[in-house]
Amino acid sequence: MSAIREFLSGQLSAGEWVLGQIRVTPGIVLRHVDDSAAARLAIFTRPTDARDLAKFDDAGNYRPLKTAPNLRHGWELRLGDLDGLRLALDFFYPAAIGTWLAEQRGDLTPIPLRDTLARQTGMYRVTRHIGDDKAAAVVQKICRGGCLRHRLWSITAENSEPPCAQPSPITRRDLPILCAEACNLFVAACRPVAKGNPRKSA
């Protein structure tokens, strides 16, 4: 926790910065990036308010994926300290700061999709049979455009496909949300594809 607090303090002392669709400004004020100049915003003051703000999109639809690019607009979250900021950011984007710091320390190991699927049991066991080309199509559909995370994992351990480029938070003030392993929603999306076109080599 001390490392996260120290990091957040450094980010704030350097000025405003962005995480996903959230702009954080000195004074510990959070807004949607599109609302930076908005005049009329609903004011919230508790870190736990972030949990409700992250739950639904502008149309009131539930957001099962917190890193989907559909965070609701029209709010301002005013927080009193670094612990409140850490908690609020975890509600918006779970473990994003800790994962970034782990990557910076060299402690983050991306897990190939094949390893993730090999662990699946029950109704998701069939996902291990998805072909590489079909898995790539799911990446295109689910990850690119549908998620703000920067994918670090490849489909297979031998696959040399480059991960998404990581912008520098030092120069761009834009902290990347890293993805070291395929999420549950991705695995679920693989299931109907794998059932319809099983992998020949499986």
Side-chain angles (χ1 to χ4, degrees):
M1 293 301 180
S2 60
I4 293 177
R5 294 181 79 258
E6 182 179 353
F7 173 78
L8 293 176
S9 177
Q11 286 288 101
L12 288 169
S13 65
E16 67 177 32
W17 53 285
V18 172
L19 178 68
Q21 291 185 292
I22 296 173
R23 187 178 304 278
V24 184
T25 59
I28 316 185
V29 176
L30 284 63
R31 289 182 174 184
H32 193 290
V33 290
D34 295 339
D35 291 338
S36 296
R40 295 184 179 181
L41 299 173
I43 305 301
F44 299 88
T45 59
R46 300 175 303 175
T48 51
D49 288 330
R51 177 172 48 203
D52 294 326
L53 291 170
K55 191 173 294 184
F56 303 101
D57 64 15
D58 287 332
N61 299 312
Y62 178 69
R63 301 174 66 240
L65 180 63
K66 293 297 182 288
T67 50
N70 61 351
L71 184 65
R72 62 180 282 195
H73 296 74
W75 53 269
E76 179 175 286
L77 181 56
R78 302 173 181 176
L79 301 172
D81 53 36
L82 292 175
D83 288 330
L85 175 59
R86 176 190 58 78
L87 182 59
L89 291 178
D90 264 346
F91 282 131
F92 281 120
Y93 300 120
I97 302 298
T99 301
W100 165 252
L101 292 178
E103 195 277 339
Q104 294 294 287
R105 294 192 306 266
D107 294 336
L108 186 65
T109 302
I111 308 299
L113 178 63
R114 287 293 168 212
D115 291 358
T116 300
L117 299 183
R119 298 197 308 266
Q120 303 306 310
T121 60
M123 64 185 290
Y124 293 106
R125 181 182 177 87
V126 69
T127 59
R128 67 186 64 185
H129 299 311
I130 190 172
D132 290 353
D133 58 335
K134 298 298 184 182
V138 178
V139 168
Q140 190 71 29
K141 178 181 179 181
I142 301 296
C143 303
R144 298 178 181 173
C147 181
L148 296 173
R149 290 184 182 273
H150 291 254
R151 182 173 60 92
L152 302 181
W153 50 269
S154 58
I155 293 176
T156 68
E158 298 78 21
N159 195 324
S160 60
E161 61 174 318
C164 297
Q166 300 176 30
S168 169
I170 303 302
T171 58
R172 288 182 55 185
R173 309 298 299 155
D174 188 357
L175 192 68
I177 305 174
L178 304 180
C179 179
E181 183 174 5
C183 67
N184 291 338
L185 289 178
F186 186 93
V187 173
C190 286
R191 183 173 180 266
V193 179
K195 289 181 68 177
N197 191 359
R199 193 177 172 211
K200 297 299 184 180
S201 60

